[in-house]
Structure formats: structure tokens, C-alpha cells
Amino acid sequence: MFNPLYRFGQVLRGIRTTIPATDAADVGAMLTREELTLFLASHPRDRVHSIRVMRWLWHHASPSDELIAAALLHDVGKGQPSVLDRSIFAVLETLSL
């Protein structure tokens, strides 16, 4: 089911791409050098999203270090899709439901 409020929230969350120093320190502490290189190569929106996932896990579970690393790296394979690509994907995903 299409949820315009959810999609609007995604757009708003995607605008903020800066990472606070405390979050950057947490990421640096949780990832190996190689993992950090992958993380930093991902799109800034995906990095911010991954940090939100990490925070959610810390507040709602007792995650292992491996699970936190997986949360931080779960989008690295997407590369850097354009806004148009992301928009088309979102519309197609919505229509397929």
C-alpha cells in the first residue's frame, strides 16, 4: 500500500547528509579499516540511514559488534544511485505492491 507520509519522510531524512562527530566516532570504532573504506564510499544519504539503523539497534536490542557492522554496511552495494534512479525505484516498488 502506498504511504505518501512515509515517502515524504524519506525525502526529508535524505536531505540531511552530515554526520555528527559522535556518530562518526561510533562508526570508526565499530568498523575495520577496510569496512570503513566501503562505508565512506557509499552515498551520504545511505551513510546517514545506516547510522540510524545502528542507533535503532542499540536502543531496541543488544546487538553484537558484527550485527552493528552489518547495519552500517547493508547498503554499500547500491553504489551511488541518482535521485532520479531512487525515485523511479520507489515508484516501481509502490506500484508492485
Side-chain angles (χ1 to χ4, degrees), residues 28-75:
M30 298 306 300
L31 299 177
T32 66
R33 182 178 304 157
E34 294 82 9
E35 292 168 341
L36 185 59
T37 299
L38 288 172
F39 179 80
L40 294 174
S42 64
H43 195 283
R45 285 184 299 257
D46 293 329
R47 291 193 299 258
V48 170
H49 163 70
S50 295
I51 289 171
R52 280 197 309 273
V53 173
M54 175 186 71
R55 280 197 230 124
W56 188 93
L57 285 169
W58 278 342
H59 288 99
H60 295 91
S62 299
S64 65
D65 290 350
E66 291 82 8
L67 183 58
I68 292 297
L72 291 170
L73 298 173
H74 77 273
D75 278 335

Short mmCIF file of all heavy atoms in Angstrom, two decimals, residues 28-75:
data_model
loop_
_atom_site.label_atom_id
_atom_site.label_comp_id
_atom_site.label_asym_id
_atom_site.label_seq_id
_atom_site.Cartn_x
_atom_site.Cartn_y
_atom_site.Cartn_z
N GLY A 28 33.63 4.73 13.36
CA GLY A 28 35.05 4.41 13.32
C GLY A 28 35.44 3.34 14.31
O GLY A 28 36.34 2.53 14.04
N ALA A 29 34.76 3.31 15.44
CA ALA A 29 35.07 2.31 16.47
C ALA A 29 34.50 0.93 16.12
O ALA A 29 35.02 -0.09 16.58
CB ALA A 29 34.51 2.76 17.82
N MET A 30 33.45 0.90 15.31
CA MET A 30 32.77 -0.36 15.04
C MET A 30 33.26 -1.07 13.78
O MET A 30 33.04 -2.26 13.62
CB MET A 30 31.25 -0.13 14.90
CG MET A 30 30.58 0.41 16.15
SD MET A 30 30.89 -0.57 17.65
CE MET A 30 30.23 -2.14 17.18
N LEU A 31 33.92 -0.36 12.87
CA LEU A 31 34.31 -0.94 11.60
C LEU A 31 35.82 -1.09 11.49
O LEU A 31 36.57 -0.29 12.03
CB LEU A 31 33.82 -0.06 10.44
CG LEU A 31 32.30 0.13 10.32
CD1 LEU A 31 31.98 1.08 9.18
CD2 LEU A 31 31.59 -1.20 10.14
N THR A 32 36.23 -2.11 10.75
CA THR A 32 37.65 -2.25 10.43
C THR A 32 38.03 -1.18 9.40
O THR A 32 37.15 -0.51 8.83
CB THR A 32 37.95 -3.63 9.82
OG1 THR A 32 37.29 -3.72 8.55
CG2 THR A 32 37.50 -4.77 10.74
N ARG A 33 39.28 -1.02 9.14
CA ARG A 33 39.73 -0.04 8.15
C ARG A 33 39.11 -0.32 6.78
O ARG A 33 38.65 0.58 6.09
CB ARG A 33 41.26 -0.05 8.05
CG ARG A 33 41.77 0.99 7.06
CD ARG A 33 43.27 1.03 7.00
NE ARG A 33 43.80 1.26 8.34
CZ ARG A 33 45.03 0.93 8.73
NH1 ARG A 33 45.85 0.36 7.88
NH2 ARG A 33 45.44 1.18 9.95
N GLU A 34 39.09 -1.58 6.38
CA GLU A 34 38.52 -1.96 5.09
C GLU A 34 37.01 -1.69 5.05
O GLU A 34 36.48 -1.20 4.04
CB GLU A 34 38.79 -3.44 4.79
CG GLU A 34 40.26 -3.76 4.57
CD GLU A 34 41.03 -3.97 5.89
OE1 GLU A 34 40.39 -4.02 6.98
OE2 GLU A 34 42.26 -4.06 5.82
N GLU A 35 36.31 -2.03 6.14
CA GLU A 35 34.88 -1.77 6.21
C GLU A 35 34.59 -0.27 6.18
O GLU A 35 33.65 0.18 5.52
CB GLU A 35 34.29 -2.40 7.48
CG GLU A 35 34.29 -3.91 7.46
CD GLU A 35 33.99 -4.51 8.81
OE1 GLU A 35 34.13 -3.83 9.86
OE2 GLU A 35 33.61 -5.70 8.84
N LEU A 36 35.41 0.49 6.88
CA LEU A 36 35.23 1.94 6.90
C LEU A 36 35.42 2.53 5.50
O LEU A 36 34.68 3.43 5.10
CB LEU A 36 36.20 2.59 7.90
CG LEU A 36 36.03 4.09 8.10
CD1 LEU A 36 34.63 4.43 8.59
CD2 LEU A 36 37.07 4.59 9.09
N THR A 37 36.36 2.00 4.74
CA THR A 37 36.55 2.46 3.36
C THR A 37 35.29 2.22 2.54
O THR A 37 34.85 3.08 1.79
CB THR A 37 37.76 1.74 2.73
OG1 THR A 37 38.92 2.06 3.49
CG2 THR A 37 37.96 2.15 1.29
N LEU A 38 34.68 1.04 2.69
CA LEU A 38 33.41 0.75 2.00
C LEU A 38 32.30 1.69 2.45
O LEU A 38 31.56 2.23 1.63
CB LEU A 38 32.98 -0.70 2.26
CG LEU A 38 33.78 -1.80 1.58
CD1 LEU A 38 33.33 -3.15 2.11
CD2 LEU A 38 33.60 -1.72 0.08
N PHE A 39 32.20 1.89 3.74
CA PHE A 39 31.17 2.76 4.30
C PHE A 39 31.31 4.18 3.74
O PHE A 39 30.32 4.78 3.30
CB PHE A 39 31.27 2.77 5.83
CG PHE A 39 30.27 3.66 6.50
CD1 PHE A 39 28.97 3.24 6.69
CD2 PHE A 39 30.64 4.92 6.96
CE1 PHE A 39 28.05 4.07 7.33
CE2 PHE A 39 29.73 5.74 7.60
CZ PHE A 39 28.42 5.32 7.78
N LEU A 40 32.52 4.69 3.73
CA LEU A 40 32.74 6.06 3.26
C LEU A 40 32.54 6.22 1.76
O LEU A 40 32.30 7.32 1.27
CB LEU A 40 34.14 6.54 3.67
CG LEU A 40 34.35 6.69 5.18
CD1 LEU A 40 35.79 7.03 5.49
CD2 LEU A 40 33.40 7.73 5.76
N ALA A 41 32.62 5.11 1.02
CA ALA A 41 32.40 5.17 -0.43
C ALA A 41 30.91 5.16 -0.78
O ALA A 41 30.56 5.44 -1.92
CB ALA A 41 33.10 3.99 -1.11
N SER A 42 30.06 4.85 0.18
CA SER A 42 28.63 4.81 -0.10
C SER A 42 28.07 6.23 -0.16
O SER A 42 28.71 7.20 0.26
CB SER A 42 27.88 3.97 0.94
OG SER A 42 27.98 4.55 2.22
N HIS A 43 26.87 6.36 -0.67
CA HIS A 43 26.23 7.67 -0.81
C HIS A 43 25.99 8.27 0.57
O HIS A 43 25.65 7.54 1.52
CB HIS A 43 24.90 7.52 -1.56
CG HIS A 43 24.36 8.81 -2.04
ND1 HIS A 43 23.73 9.71 -1.21
CD2 HIS A 43 24.39 9.38 -3.27
CE1 HIS A 43 23.37 10.77 -1.91
NE2 HIS A 43 23.76 10.59 -3.17
N PRO A 44 26.17 9.58 0.72
CA PRO A 44 25.95 10.20 2.04
C PRO A 44 24.58 9.90 2.65
O PRO A 44 24.48 9.67 3.85
CB PRO A 44 26.10 11.70 1.75
CG PRO A 44 27.02 11.76 0.58
CD PRO A 44 26.67 10.55 -0.25
N ARG A 45 23.51 9.86 1.83
CA ARG A 45 22.18 9.51 2.36
C ARG A 45 22.18 8.10 2.94
O ARG A 45 21.55 7.84 3.97
CB ARG A 45 21.12 9.61 1.27
CG ARG A 45 20.74 11.02 0.90
CD ARG A 45 19.60 11.01 -0.11
NE ARG A 45 20.00 10.35 -1.34
CZ ARG A 45 20.32 10.95 -2.47
NH1 ARG A 45 20.28 12.25 -2.53
NH2 ARG A 45 20.66 10.27 -3.53
N ASP A 46 22.88 7.19 2.28
CA ASP A 46 22.94 5.81 2.76
C ASP A 46 23.75 5.72 4.05
O ASP A 46 23.42 4.92 4.93
CB ASP A 46 23.51 4.89 1.69
CG ASP A 46 22.59 4.76 0.49
OD1 ASP A 46 21.35 4.86 0.68
OD2 ASP A 46 23.09 4.57 -0.62
N ARG A 47 24.80 6.53 4.17
CA ARG A 47 25.57 6.53 5.41
C ARG A 47 24.71 7.00 6.58
O ARG A 47 24.71 6.38 7.66
CB ARG A 47 26.82 7.42 5.27
CG ARG A 47 27.85 6.84 4.33
CD ARG A 47 29.18 7.55 4.44
NE ARG A 47 29.14 8.96 4.11
CZ ARG A 47 29.56 9.48 2.96
NH1 ARG A 47 30.04 8.70 2.01
NH2 ARG A 47 29.51 10.78 2.75
N VAL A 48 23.97 8.09 6.38
CA VAL A 48 23.11 8.61 7.45
C VAL A 48 22.04 7.57 7.81
O VAL A 48 21.78 7.32 8.99
CB VAL A 48 22.48 9.96 7.03
CG1 VAL A 48 21.39 10.39 8.00
CG2 VAL A 48 23.56 11.03 6.91
N HIS A 49 21.46 6.94 6.79
CA HIS A 49 20.45 5.90 7.03
C HIS A 49 21.06 4.74 7.84
O HIS A 49 20.46 4.26 8.80
CB HIS A 49 19.90 5.39 5.70
CG HIS A 49 19.19 4.08 5.81
ND1 HIS A 49 17.97 3.93 6.45
CD2 HIS A 49 19.54 2.84 5.38
CE1 HIS A 49 17.61 2.67 6.40
NE2 HIS A 49 18.54 1.99 5.76
N SER A 50 22.25 4.32 7.46
CA SER A 50 22.90 3.20 8.16
C SER A 50 23.17 3.54 9.62
O SER A 50 23.06 2.69 10.50
CB SER A 50 24.20 2.83 7.44
OG SER A 50 23.90 2.32 6.16
N ILE A 51 23.53 4.78 9.87
CA ILE A 51 23.75 5.21 11.27
C ILE A 51 22.44 5.20 12.04
O ILE A 51 22.41 4.82 13.22
CB ILE A 51 24.44 6.59 11.30
CG1 ILE A 51 25.90 6.43 10.83
CG2 ILE A 51 24.37 7.21 12.68
CD1 ILE A 51 26.63 7.72 10.60
N ARG A 52 21.33 5.58 11.38
CA ARG A 52 20.03 5.49 12.05
C ARG A 52 19.71 4.04 12.40
O ARG A 52 19.17 3.76 13.48
CB ARG A 52 18.93 6.08 11.16
CG ARG A 52 18.84 7.58 11.19
CD ARG A 52 17.52 8.10 10.64
NE ARG A 52 17.17 7.56 9.34
CZ ARG A 52 17.56 8.06 8.17
NH1 ARG A 52 18.32 9.13 8.13
NH2 ARG A 52 17.19 7.49 7.05
N VAL A 53 20.03 3.12 11.50
CA VAL A 53 19.81 1.69 11.78
C VAL A 53 20.67 1.26 12.96
O VAL A 53 20.19 0.56 13.86
CB VAL A 53 20.11 0.83 10.53
CG1 VAL A 53 20.04 -0.65 10.86
CG2 VAL A 53 19.15 1.18 9.40
N MET A 54 21.93 1.69 13.00
CA MET A 54 22.82 1.35 14.12
C MET A 54 22.23 1.86 15.43
O MET A 54 22.17 1.11 16.41
CB MET A 54 24.20 1.97 13.89
CG MET A 54 25.17 1.78 15.05
SD MET A 54 26.74 2.68 14.82
CE MET A 54 26.21 4.39 15.02
N ARG A 55 21.79 3.10 15.45
CA ARG A 55 21.21 3.67 16.68
C ARG A 55 19.96 2.91 17.09
O ARG A 55 19.74 2.65 18.28
CB ARG A 55 20.87 5.15 16.47
CG ARG A 55 22.05 6.05 16.59
CD ARG A 55 21.58 7.49 16.78
NE ARG A 55 22.27 8.32 15.83
CZ ARG A 55 21.72 9.11 14.95
NH1 ARG A 55 20.42 9.20 14.83
NH2 ARG A 55 22.45 9.84 14.14
N TRP A 56 19.11 2.56 16.10
CA TRP A 56 17.90 1.82 16.41
C TRP A 56 18.25 0.50 17.09
O TRP A 56 17.64 0.12 18.09
CB TRP A 56 17.08 1.56 15.14
CG TRP A 56 15.73 0.96 15.42
CD1 TRP A 56 14.57 1.63 15.58
CD2 TRP A 56 15.44 -0.43 15.62
NE1 TRP A 56 13.55 0.75 15.86
CE2 TRP A 56 14.06 -0.53 15.90
CE3 TRP A 56 16.20 -1.60 15.59
CZ2 TRP A 56 13.43 -1.73 16.14
CZ3 TRP A 56 15.56 -2.80 15.84
CH2 TRP A 56 14.20 -2.87 16.11
N LEU A 57 19.23 -0.21 16.55
CA LEU A 57 19.65 -1.47 17.15
C LEU A 57 20.14 -1.28 18.58
O LEU A 57 19.82 -2.06 19.47
CB LEU A 57 20.74 -2.13 16.31
CG LEU A 57 20.27 -2.79 15.02
CD1 LEU A 57 21.47 -3.16 14.15
CD2 LEU A 57 19.42 -4.01 15.32
N TRP A 58 20.95 -0.25 18.80
CA TRP A 58 21.46 0.00 20.15
C TRP A 58 20.34 0.29 21.14
O TRP A 58 20.42 -0.10 22.30
CB TRP A 58 22.45 1.16 20.15
CG TRP A 58 23.84 0.77 19.73
CD1 TRP A 58 24.37 -0.49 19.70
CD2 TRP A 58 24.88 1.64 19.29
NE1 TRP A 58 25.68 -0.44 19.27
CE2 TRP A 58 26.01 0.84 19.01
CE3 TRP A 58 24.96 3.01 19.10
CZ2 TRP A 58 27.21 1.38 18.57
CZ3 TRP A 58 26.16 3.54 18.66
CH2 TRP A 58 27.27 2.73 18.39
N HIS A 59 19.28 0.94 20.68
CA HIS A 59 18.19 1.30 21.59
C HIS A 59 17.14 0.21 21.76
O HIS A 59 16.41 0.22 22.74
CB HIS A 59 17.51 2.59 21.11
CG HIS A 59 18.35 3.80 21.31
ND1 HIS A 59 19.08 4.37 20.30
CD2 HIS A 59 18.60 4.53 22.41
CE1 HIS A 59 19.74 5.41 20.78
NE2 HIS A 59 19.47 5.53 22.05
N HIS A 60 17.06 -0.73 20.83
CA HIS A 60 16.00 -1.73 20.87
C HIS A 60 16.49 -3.17 21.00
O HIS A 60 15.67 -4.09 21.02
CB HIS A 60 15.12 -1.61 19.62
CG HIS A 60 14.39 -0.32 19.55
ND1 HIS A 60 14.89 0.79 18.92
CD2 HIS A 60 13.19 0.04 20.06
CE1 HIS A 60 14.03 1.79 19.04
NE2 HIS A 60 12.99 1.36 19.73
N ALA A 61 17.78 -3.36 21.05
CA ALA A 61 18.31 -4.73 21.12
C ALA A 61 19.65 -4.70 21.85
O ALA A 61 20.09 -3.66 22.31
CB ALA A 61 18.48 -5.29 19.70
N SER A 62 20.25 -5.83 21.93
CA SER A 62 21.61 -5.95 22.45
C SER A 62 22.47 -6.53 21.33
O SER A 62 22.85 -7.71 21.37
CB SER A 62 21.65 -6.86 23.68
OG SER A 62 20.85 -6.32 24.70
N PRO A 63 22.75 -5.71 20.32
CA PRO A 63 23.40 -6.25 19.12
C PRO A 63 24.88 -6.57 19.34
O PRO A 63 25.57 -5.92 20.12
CB PRO A 63 23.24 -5.11 18.11
CG PRO A 63 23.23 -3.88 18.96
CD PRO A 63 22.52 -4.28 20.22
N SER A 64 25.33 -7.56 18.61
CA SER A 64 26.75 -7.87 18.60
C SER A 64 27.47 -6.84 17.73
O SER A 64 26.85 -6.13 16.94
CB SER A 64 26.97 -9.28 18.03
OG SER A 64 26.58 -9.29 16.65
N ASP A 65 28.78 -6.79 17.86
CA ASP A 65 29.58 -5.91 17.02
C ASP A 65 29.40 -6.26 15.54
O ASP A 65 29.37 -5.37 14.68
CB ASP A 65 31.06 -5.99 17.38
CG ASP A 65 31.35 -5.36 18.74
OD1 ASP A 65 30.46 -4.70 19.32
OD2 ASP A 65 32.49 -5.53 19.23
N GLU A 66 29.25 -7.56 15.26
CA GLU A 66 29.06 -7.99 13.88
C GLU A 66 27.73 -7.49 13.31
O GLU A 66 27.65 -7.09 12.15
CB GLU A 66 29.13 -9.52 13.77
CG GLU A 66 30.51 -10.09 14.02
CD GLU A 66 30.85 -10.24 15.50
OE1 GLU A 66 29.96 -10.05 16.37
OE2 GLU A 66 32.01 -10.55 15.79
N LEU A 67 26.68 -7.50 14.13
CA LEU A 67 25.39 -7.01 13.67
C LEU A 67 25.45 -5.49 13.42
O LEU A 67 24.88 -5.00 12.44
CB LEU A 67 24.28 -7.34 14.68
CG LEU A 67 22.87 -6.93 14.26
CD1 LEU A 67 22.47 -7.59 12.94
CD2 LEU A 67 21.88 -7.29 15.35
N ILE A 68 26.15 -4.77 14.27
CA ILE A 68 26.30 -3.33 14.06
C ILE A 68 27.07 -3.08 12.77
O ILE A 68 26.69 -2.20 11.97
CB ILE A 68 27.00 -2.67 15.27
CG1 ILE A 68 26.10 -2.71 16.50
CG2 ILE A 68 27.39 -1.22 14.95
CD1 ILE A 68 24.79 -1.95 16.37
N ALA A 69 28.13 -3.82 12.53
CA ALA A 69 28.88 -3.66 11.28
C ALA A 69 27.99 -3.95 10.08
O ALA A 69 28.01 -3.23 9.08
CB ALA A 69 30.11 -4.57 11.27
N ALA A 70 27.16 -5.00 10.19
CA ALA A 70 26.24 -5.33 9.09
C ALA A 70 25.23 -4.19 8.88
O ALA A 70 24.91 -3.85 7.74
CB ALA A 70 25.51 -6.64 9.39
N ALA A 71 24.76 -3.60 9.96
CA ALA A 71 23.82 -2.48 9.84
C ALA A 71 24.47 -1.31 9.11
O ALA A 71 23.85 -0.65 8.27
CB ALA A 71 23.34 -2.05 11.22
N LEU A 72 25.73 -1.06 9.44
CA LEU A 72 26.43 0.07 8.82
C LEU A 72 26.78 -0.18 7.35
O LEU A 72 26.89 0.75 6.57
CB LEU A 72 27.70 0.39 9.60
CG LEU A 72 27.47 0.97 10.99
CD1 LEU A 72 28.77 1.01 11.78
CD2 LEU A 72 26.85 2.36 10.89
N LEU A 73 26.91 -1.45 6.99
CA LEU A 73 27.36 -1.77 5.63
C LEU A 73 26.25 -2.32 4.72
O LEU A 73 26.51 -2.64 3.57
CB LEU A 73 28.50 -2.80 5.71
CG LEU A 73 29.75 -2.32 6.45
CD1 LEU A 73 30.74 -3.46 6.62
CD2 LEU A 73 30.38 -1.14 5.73
N HIS A 74 25.02 -2.39 5.21
CA HIS A 74 23.98 -3.09 4.46
C HIS A 74 23.64 -2.45 3.12
O HIS A 74 23.07 -3.11 2.26
CB HIS A 74 22.72 -3.28 5.31
CG HIS A 74 21.87 -2.07 5.47
ND1 HIS A 74 22.08 -1.14 6.47
CD2 HIS A 74 20.81 -1.64 4.75
CE1 HIS A 74 21.17 -0.19 6.35
NE2 HIS A 74 20.38 -0.47 5.32
N ASP A 75 23.99 -1.20 2.88
CA ASP A 75 23.67 -0.56 1.60
C ASP A 75 24.88 -0.28 0.73
O ASP A 75 24.74 0.35 -0.32
CB ASP A 75 22.94 0.77 1.85
CG ASP A 75 21.46 0.60 2.11
OD1 ASP A 75 20.90 -0.41 1.65
OD2 ASP A 75 20.87 1.47 2.76
#
